[in-house]
Amino acid sequence: MRYKAFVVDSSRQVICVAKLDCIDEQAARRRTEQMHGEHDVELWEGDRFVAVFRAATTNENQGEGGILNRRPVSRPS
């Protein structure tokens, strides 16, 4: 399955995009979780939002493992 991980800044602007070919959503989540650090990382499968992994310095609206518990403000292009 094809996924994209969008690294976004605090203004939700895309800094870079990583294309991920993963066997399933769980594998895509694991790979994306490894990417987050200073910035949030949004995981998408095509037009479907999967998850947001919050930056280590941000703790608002976080669930377990730094995953944001709400949809992102807008879908990146």
Side-chain angles (χ1 to χ4, degrees):
M1 302 178 111
R2 293 185 181 215
Y3 295 87
K4 287 185 181 177
F6 294 86
V7 178
V8 296
D9 64 16
S10 59
S11 300
R12 312 304 299 162
Q13 297 296 311
V14 176
I15 296 170
C16 67
V17 179
K19 294 179 182 179
L20 307 174
D21 285 322
C22 299
I23 193 156
D24 59 17
E25 184 176 310
Q26 186 176 10
R29 285 175 176 266
R30 282 193 304 267
R31 288 186 62 190
T32 305
E33 188 173 19
Q34 294 172 352
M35 295 174 64
H36 84 290
E38 292 182 34
H39 300 284
D40 296 353
V41 181
E42 297 184 359
L43 178 62
W44 292 80
E45 179 187 19
D47 290 341
R48 184 178 72 89
F49 169 71
V50 177
V52 175
F53 296 84
R54 299 293 286 184
T57 58
T58 307
N59 61 10
E60 62 188 47
N61 296 319
Q62 281 188 1
E64 289 185 35
I67 300 172
L68 187 68
N69 291 324
R70 62 173 176 77
R71 290 185 63 87
V73 175
S74 62
R75 191 178 105 229
S77 309

